[in-house]
Amino acid sequence: MLPLHPFRPGGPSRPPQHAPPEAAFLERAAAEYLEGETEVTAPTTTDTTVAPSVPPTEPKARFSDLFAAEWIKLWSLRSTLWAFAATAALVLTSTSANARGDARQYAQHSEEQRALFRTLGLVPDSFPHGSATMLMLGAGAIGAITVLGEYTTGMIRTTFTAVPARSAVMAAKAAVVTVATMLFGAVAALLSYGAAQAVLSGQGIAVGLGHTGIPRLLVASALLAPVSALVGMAVAALVRHSVITIVVTTALLFVLPTLLNDRSHLTASLLHMTVLQAWSRIGDGQAATEQWPWTAGGAGIVLALWSLVAATLTVFSTNHRDQ
């Protein structure tokens, strides 16, 4: 009996079989082929510095864009439209009432008094002090509304989040209010002139736009509105309370001139520094009985200083207060 093969129980011993060289070659070729198709790049250990990703910075808002946004915002407030309409109505009512009163008195005057009125009274009737007061207070309220409208609703936070440059935003507001109220002042002055001449024409004493003193009065009245509006904006930016803003604005524009007189040089100088008195000096001219005379150029400087100080307070007050 033949001995059993140790590797195959119960079977004859058989020498181990080896793969032919051709098979080994084919296996290596297949492995290299598959390796080339699915080549995986091994991670390298070379240290490389990766630049941090920086999000693209948004371009800064141009002043023209801010102006356009504030212009739309101004006219989107219903209170602004009502304020303009109410101010215009008050101005025309005051002018018409004043002209009707002078027309009735003119009919009862002697010829000498009529001649004096034709010399001194026709120009002031086109835009009397009552109308100037209404325009001044109305424009001041409009300027205050422009600022308070956002502070009271909290929208000012959204505005400053979208445009962090607070001074630029407030400068755009001031520019919009200046342009809008100047145009409104010019329109109100022309309407007032037309209403006065319509009443005075019944007595045959109406005057044209080229009459001496009329252009100067209309220009002064057009400038009165933006100056008053900037004052209202400045008070609102500082106070940020509706009732207190209206009270302080009214006191500065209207009450303060009534508390001063021209009996002394000091009080006369202080009176000349008020907005209403500066308007009167430019529009009505110098009174013959003026004890402390001053020039129209000085009155113009007064209006310019009020505008400059008010605009500066409006623009830069937000940089020092939390919103």
Side-chain angles (χ1 to χ4, degrees), residues 18-317:
H18 299 282
E22 293 83 359
F25 173 78
L26 291 176
E27 287 179 0
R28 287 196 304 271
E32 291 176 0
Y33 176 77
L34 293 175
E35 222 180 314
E37 287 291 317
T38 60
E39 182 177 358
V40 177
T41 304
T44 61
T45 58
T46 306
D47 294 336
T48 57
T49 303
V50 179
S53 60
V54 179
T57 58
E58 296 183 359
K60 293 183 178 179
R62 297 175 298 181
F63 187 80
S64 58
D65 298 331
L66 296 177
F67 184 92
E70 293 299 330
W71 182 269
I72 295 173
K73 197 183 300 181
L74 174 67
W75 297 109
S76 64
L77 296 173
R78 288 183 297 176
S79 56
T80 302
L81 300 177
W82 281 109
F84 276 114
T87 303
L90 290 173
V91 168
L92 293 179
T93 300
S94 176
T95 300
S96 300
N98 186 83
R100 283 196 298 269
D102 285 346
R104 286 194 299 267
Q105 292 181 4
Y106 182 84
Q108 301 171 0
H109 285 169
S110 62
E111 187 59 34
E112 182 179 355
Q113 291 175 325
R114 291 183 179 184
L116 181 63
F117 177 78
R118 287 193 297 268
T119 303
L120 302 177
L122 292 179
V123 172
D125 271 4
S126 298
F127 202 87
H129 276 251
S131 300
T133 302
M134 295 298 104
L135 177 62
M136 186 173 57
L137 296 179
I142 291 169
I145 289 172
T146 306
V147 176
L148 293 174
E150 288 198 80
Y151 275 106
T152 54
T153 59
M155 286 300 295
I156 194 67
R157 296 187 180 91
T158 305
T159 300
F160 287 155
T161 301
V163 185
R166 300 179 179 183
S167 297
V169 173
M170 299 306 290
K173 284 183 182 293
V176 166
V177 169
T178 299
V179 173
T181 52
M182 182 175 292
L183 293 175
F184 173 71
V187 172
L190 288 173
L191 291 177
S192 176
Y193 163 81
Q197 302 313 311
V199 174
L200 296 176
S201 62
Q203 297 293 334
I205 51 176
V207 296
L209 283 172
H211 184 78
T212 303
I214 294 295
R216 181 182 60 195
L217 177 63
L218 297 182
V219 170
S221 302
L223 294 176
L224 179 64
V227 175
S228 304
L230 288 174
V231 172
M233 286 190 72
V235 175
L238 293 174
V239 176
R240 302 180 187 179
H241 189 279
S242 302
V243 176
I244 299 177
T245 296
I246 297 302
V247 170
V248 174
T249 302
T250 304
L252 289 175
L253 296 177
F254 175 68
V255 177
L256 183 60
T258 62
L259 299 178
L260 300 172
N261 55 63
D262 57 354
R263 295 177 183 175
S264 67
H265 185 270
L266 177 60
T267 57
S269 298
L270 294 175
L271 180 62
H272 293 167
M273 293 179 186
T274 61
V275 174
L276 185 60
Q277 193 69 17
W279 164 84
S280 177
R281 176 61 185 86
I282 297 174
D284 294 342
Q286 183 101 304
T289 58
E290 183 76 30
Q291 185 177 359
W292 308 100
W294 59 316
T295 63
I301 293 175
V302 169
L303 295 180
L305 287 177
W306 274 92
S307 302
L308 180 61
V309 172
T312 302
L313 292 175
T314 301
V315 171
F316 294 105
S317 63

